[in-house]
Amino acid sequence: MIKKYDSNFKLIWHFLKGSLPFFVLSLISAGMVSFMDMVNPKIVSFTVDSVIGDAPSVLSSPAASLVDMAGGLETLKAQPLIIALAVACVGILAALFRYAFRLSNAAGAETFVRRMRDELFIHIMGLPYVWHGENSTGDIIQRCTSDVQTVKRFVSEQLVQLIRTVILIAMALYFMAGINVTVMLGAAAFIPIIVCYSMIFHSRIGTAFRKVDTEEGKLSSIVQENLTGVRVVRAFGREVYEQERFEKQNAYYTGFWIHLMRLMSAFWSSADILTGMQNLTVLFLGTRACLNGTLTTGSLIALISYNLMLIWPVRMLGRVITEMSKAGISIDRIRYIMNSEPEKDREGALEPPMDRDIIFDHVSYSYEGGTGEALHDISLTIPAGTTLGILGGTGSGKSTLMYLLERLYTLPPEKGRIMIGDADIADISKGYLRRNIGMVLQEPYLFSRTLSENIGIAVDRPGMDQVRKAARLASIDDAIETFTAGYETAVGERGVTLSGGQKQRTAIAQMLIRKSPVMVFDDSLSAVDTETDMKIRHAIREVSGQSTVILIAHRITTLMNADRIIVLDKGRIREQGTHDELLLQNGLYRKIYDLQTAGLTDAG
Ligand SMILES: Nc1ncnc2c1ncn2[C@@H]1O[C@H](COP(=O)(O)OP(=O)(O)OP(=O)(O)O)[C@@H](O)[C@H]1O
Ligand SMILES: [Mg+2]
């Protein structure tokens, strides 16, 4: 498969579309800030040498013409305020460019990260169900949050900082060279040493930081586990044990930080020594040149100023470079998502009528990484408009059969066919197929929205009466009425405020409101009592009309009225027929029936 983004550069370039002008503007502004910073030492050295002293002016021609405009050297000597004004002007200009830099950089960074978030979200939504099964939610979220932040920092801070620093260093060295080449070389000699030293240190400390991160992760997972599982901790009286576990980890974590701080302190102090030596060199070479008469006092002051300007950027450069190299991992992780192939229909996908017979034709299926076959040679016809019941123990392949029907998993061509009327579902548009085959999932998921929004989630602008009707059919209306906010009650994160049975019934209402031509209820009545089960089954029959209904259950009463029932066992159809036929067969169905009804008779 050809990867769309075969290099990190390509991916960053792609995301940069739209924010590039901002970054270019910010770099130009940064260049101007650096230039303005270079001007002040020039003014100072000119003032010391030519305004206070009597040395002839050595200004460049644009600067000299500015002095002429101000009235010449004599006027400046008489009116030193003009020099102060010039310094103020330079300061104001630098401030304006700094403002432009920050603003355009922030705008660039935010548009960049916004584009990245949008694209990632849309891309992830389009990825196949299988992909979501293979990748853990936590990991995907981390890629979309902290990795995105790392990449944002890489582009808007580190990359910009790198270019900015290089411009600043180049300018400062250039201006120094204009004054005295020997001093410039003396200062420049320290730059590679300091940068390398800081790079080595930061890559070392990076390992220590990662370790601290891991330990912090462990600490917070202890906290999280204990908060989420607080009931278990209380119920088993594990408070003291958990407390000790936490204290141990906390002590370990603290130890790491202290180690890290020791490393940091050692670095900063030793880097200070290097910087001090650089200052010393400039001062020594400069003073010597002054004494030789090849350098003026004002120029020495300028050289020292330029050298001071270099110190911080150079010290940070090593850190920036090391951190930039780490961003590669984050870009790779985002690239993995962007390179995953989204679900696509093939050219000319069909949208055939769906109120037709559903035919499973010698269908076998094995999950990737699964143990053996989940389904083996299933052949089955569900006539349009009838109800099929599927009974089977856990892991017998019931849900798998339905996932294949919805094409959540792809059936390889050599493993049989699934047809709806004359159309092979492999040729049908996925969106169309799923819109028409409604499925109440075995583990329903409710969004953190209101109940009415949740019930109407699959239809466009549902009316309140539609919502109420669906709720009534799903026998959830009574429960909803007891909530103070009724249908406007917000369902908490993961639907925690609802009981398992209430959640199931909300999911059934979601389905009944949309009335698809094919309706699948995957173990949807497992958490409701027998009476509600019966009421809902009547409602389903009432709503379904011409729809084909597939009812999956463990409880025979749930599906005994179906037109046809199949008994699945270890991925194979063991028995099939109507309830009465199956009872007569005296097989597995009969055995389950006897077991389930015996319980009832015993109980009363
Ligand atoms: N994503 C998956 N990857 C690998 N194996 C899977 C996957 N999903 C299901 N299986 C396996 O396939 C088999 C059939 O699973 P399936 O979910 O279809 O069973 P089921 O009949 O719906 O069971 P239950 O009544 O518990 O819902 C099981 O052995 C299960 O372990
Ligand atoms: Mg299942």
Side-chain angles (χ1 to χ4, degrees), residues 29 152 229 262 368 421 449 462 540:
S29 312
K152 172 189 161 187
R262 205 178 299 144
E368 218 158 286
R449 301 175 196 172
I540 293 173

Side-chain angles (χ1 to χ4, degrees), residues 129 133 367-375 392-401 403 409 442 522-523 552 554 568:
Y129 182 71
Y367 282 103
E368 218 158 286
T371 48
E373 276 187 326
L375 290 174
T394 49
S396 56
K398 305 182 295 296
S399 298
T400 308
L401 204 60
Y403 293 155
Y409 291 92
Q442 190 165 9
D522 190 351
D523 214 6
I552 296 177
H554 289 114
L568 269 188

